[in-house]
Amino acid sequence: MDASPIRDIFVIGGGINGCGIARDAVGRGFSVFLAEMNDLASGTSSGSTKLIHGGLRYLEFYEFRLVREALMEREVLWKNAPHIIWPMRFVLPYAKGLRPAWLIRLGLFLYDHIGGRKLLPATRTLDMARDPAGKPLKPLFKKAFEYSDGWVNDARLVALNARDAADRGATVRTRTKVTGARRENGLWAIQIEDLQTGETEEIKARLLVNAAGPWVDHVLSGVVGLNDVHNVRLVQGSHIVIARKFDDPRAYFFQNKDGRIIFAIPYEEEFTLIGTTDQDYPGDPHDVKISDTEIDYLCAAASEYFAQPVKRSDIVWTYSAVRPLYDDGASKAQEATRDYVLKADGGDGAAPIVNAFGGKITTYRRLSESMLEKIESFLGKRGKPWTAHAPLPGG
Ligand SMILES: Cc1cc2nc3c(=O)[nH]c(=O)nc-3n(C[C@H](O)[C@H](O)[C@H](O)COP(=O)(O)OP(=O)(O)OC[C@H]3O[C@@H](n4cnc5c(N)ncnc54)[C@H](O)[C@@H]3O)c2cc1C
């Protein structure tokens, strides 16, 4: 037996996108090898705000395609993984001097109607003097809007996609770094290194998928050997965790004076999760850490709303991650598109590579389907989209 058969697809990266692509591909009958240099979900996919959401504020940047797709994914993902994804209601207080009530109402009307909502309850208006959601807030917030989105255990979503991919026949290697990839006789020859033993190996594949998240450009320059690579903008986002600030099961959506928003979310029963920030990040994504400025920003923004201010000394944990946003030339980090872009190179005798730039946890399954369309344009059609109606392990 050939110990190292030629694989159809080699996936670089064991985040949500790499694992989602591997699962979809193997389920259609492709042979798949996935390498993750650390642990599954050790990159951005465990450092998110953990929302399965349409992204209400992306409407302000006219991202209708993304918002609609993400809204539609909420119920698809919930149905397939109800053990790690569940609905959550969000309370958005109306704040004088910020967005007018008519604009919020319009945004929430679109939110309720453009995304095929069937099970999630619709938006309603709250009288904060009477609703328990008003209790932990300053009394000046008299009115609020309550709408639906979802919550996800992000790292487990990654692991379950990898588990299912492996159960269906994919090879999934963690602690395995891709150190080189070159085109050879119409195939890819990919060098991998087991970071625990130092052993190296070469894998041959027909097509390479670059799903390295914030390292995606680094893979193109350092692994594939291309020059002048600049596709993604790295944008840091941080969260603080404090002891439970309110008893209500609903989360809060707070508008800030700078036009940004933050969430305050019930977290792991005893805590409240507050985030996030948006600032350009120049370093290695693995070294990302919350800055003093971000801590001050999050404490100040939450204290505008809560009757009891959020202090630095309240913080029990923080985490940070780096968004690999497709560089659309936006001047501000918060305005850069959250949509994903897939770019292919090769074909006609040269082994193809398809790169995934950007994306959200919420849209990983649709990104994977789009990736499979690209893959099938090179390798031929194998199967139909199938993941919309396939529960994840345990779901
Ligand atoms: C602060 C913040 C909040 C967010 N909140 C949300 C949210 O609430 N909802 C939502 O839907 N989305 C959210 N997102 C977006 C979402 O988290 C990301 O879009 C998504 O996790 C990106 O996944 P990925 O698989 O592309 O990247 P990653 O998860 O980073 O995976 C890439 C993987 O590639 C591996 N890798 C890199 N180079 C190599 C190599 N040479 N060899 C082997 N492996 C390699 C890395 O180790 C890494 O694990 C948020 C993002 C941030 C930063």
Side-chain angles (χ1 to χ4, degrees), residues 12-18 35-53 58 152 154 176-179 211-216 218-219 223 235-239 276-277 286 319-324 356 358-363:
I12 306 178
I16 191 58
N17 288 325
E36 162 54 51
M37 65 181 169
N38 295 302
D39 201 353
L40 296 171
S42 55
T44 308
S45 297
S46 55
S48 80
T49 311
K50 306 174 201 303
L51 301 181
I52 294 296
H53 65 156
Y58 309 149
V152 60
D154 51 4
T176 301
K177 184 172 183 174
V178 178
T179 54
W215 292 268
V216 70
H218 183 80
V219 162
V223 174
V235 176
Q236 166 168 359
S238 296
H239 295 84
T276 178
T277 54
H286 265 309
Y319 66 87
S320 304
V322 177
R323 302 175 183 87
K360 307 274 303 165
I361 300 261
T362 310
T363 50

Side-chain angles (χ1 to χ4, degrees), residues 264-287:
I265 306 169
Y267 185 58
E268 300 289 345
E269 303 197 354
E270 290 169 37
F271 303 97
T272 299
L273 173 63
I274 299 174
T276 178
T277 54
D278 273 292
Q279 60 178 48
D280 283 308
Y281 181 74
D284 180 331
H286 265 309
D287 300 333

Side-chain angles (χ1 to χ4, degrees), residues 239-243 290 295 299 310-318:
H239 295 84
I240 56 174
V241 176
I242 59 174
I290 196 165
I295 292 180
C299 289
V310 175
K311 300 188 294 294
R312 217 165 231 275
S313 53
D314 296 336
I315 299 172
V316 294
W317 185 49
T318 68

Side-chain angles (χ1 to χ4, degrees), residues 1-49:
M1 201 181 95
D2 186 349
S4 177
I6 297 168
R7 314 288 170 137
D8 292 321
I9 302 165
F10 189 104
V11 181
I12 306 178
I16 191 58
N17 288 325
C19 293
I21 293 163
R23 173 182 186 238
D24 193 335
V26 74
R28 296 189 197 209
F30 289 105
S31 57
V32 178
F33 193 109
L34 181 147
E36 162 54 51
M37 65 181 169
N38 295 302
D39 201 353
L40 296 171
S42 55
T44 308
S45 297
S46 55
S48 80
T49 311

Side-chain angles (χ1 to χ4, degrees), residues 38-338:
N38 295 302
D39 201 353
L40 296 171
S42 55
T44 308
S45 297
S46 55
S48 80
T49 311
K50 306 174 201 303
L51 301 181
I52 294 296
H53 65 156
L56 186 57
R57 104 198 128 103
Y58 309 149
L59 288 174
E60 288 185 325
F61 302 115
Y62 309 111
E63 299 238 32
F64 295 112
R65 195 215 74 81
L66 169 68
V67 175
R68 185 173 144 74
E69 183 173 284
L71 286 170
M72 293 177 70
E73 276 304 280
R74 295 179 306 181
E75 294 190 17
V76 176
L77 298 178
W78 175 25
K79 188 182 68 194
N80 288 325
H83 53 328
I84 56 160
I85 292 174
W86 49 85
M88 190 173 257
R89 295 289 279 173
F90 288 77
V91 175
L92 192 174
Y94 163 71
K96 265 205 185 113
L98 300 181
R99 288 169 188 86
W102 67 263
L103 183 66
I104 301 175
R105 249 192 238 111
L106 175 66
L108 287 168
F109 178 82
L110 288 174
Y111 212 69
D112 269 352
H113 290 92
I114 65 172
R117 182 180 54 82
K118 292 196 188 83
L119 302 171
L120 293 169
T123 298
R124 62 182 187 127
T125 307
L126 304 181
D127 172 356
M128 295 295 262
R130 297 167 58 176
D131 193 282
K135 222 170 125 202
L137 303 190
K138 292 178 179 168
L140 62 103
F141 299 104
K142 304 221 179 317
K143 185 160 118 179
F145 302 94
E146 185 191 302
Y147 71 96
S148 291
D149 260 329
W151 166 262
V152 60
N153 184 325
D154 51 4
R156 277 190 72 199
L157 185 66
V158 178
L160 292 180
N161 273 276
R163 176 72 267 157
D164 202 40
D167 288 347
R168 291 170 190 271
T171 304
V172 177
R173 294 258 190 97
T174 56
R175 315 273 172 210
T176 301
K177 184 172 183 174
V178 178
T179 54
R182 61 176 195 284
R183 288 180 164 117
E184 209 177 80
N185 305 325
L187 296 174
W188 283 101
I190 302 138
Q191 281 69 50
I192 56 174
E193 181 183 349
D194 183 323
L195 296 182
Q196 283 170 312
T197 63
E199 270 175 38
T200 59
E201 207 181 320
E202 184 172 275
I203 307 290
K204 294 253 167 60
R206 294 189 173 85
L207 183 144
L208 190 59
V209 169
N210 179 5
W215 292 268
V216 70
D217 279 343
H218 183 80
V219 162
L220 283 174
S221 54
V223 174
V224 181
L226 300 182
N227 295 323
D228 284 338
V229 179
H230 184 81
N231 300 289
V232 285
R233 176 168 184 173
L234 300 184
V235 176
Q236 166 168 359
S238 296
H239 295 84
I240 56 174
V241 176
I242 59 174
R244 194 168 68 191
K245 192 80 181 156
F246 51 90
D247 294 329
D248 205 273
R250 290 168 289 182
Y252 291 97
F253 177 119
F254 295 147
Q255 310 178 65
N256 308 341
K257 290 191 178 125
D258 61 2
R260 292 191 67 263
I261 59 110
I262 58 162
F263 294 99
I265 306 169
Y267 185 58
E268 300 289 345
E269 303 197 354
E270 290 169 37
F271 303 97
T272 299
L273 173 63
I274 299 174
T276 178
T277 54
D278 273 292
Q279 60 178 48
D280 283 308
Y281 181 74
D284 180 331
H286 265 309
D287 300 333
V288 65
K289 212 171 131 248
I290 196 165
S291 66
D292 280 343
T293 320
E294 287 179 297
I295 292 180
D296 290 343
Y297 177 86
L298 291 173
C299 289
S303 301
E304 288 283 327
Y305 285 83
F306 285 118
Q308 298 297 323
V310 175
K311 300 188 294 294
R312 217 165 231 275
S313 53
D314 296 336
I315 299 172
V316 294
W317 185 49
T318 68
Y319 66 87
S320 304
V322 177
R323 302 175 183 87
L325 303 182
Y326 182 67
D327 197 350
D328 59 356
S331 52
K332 287 193 199 159
Q334 74 198 71
E335 289 170 3
T337 181
R338 263 54 176 173

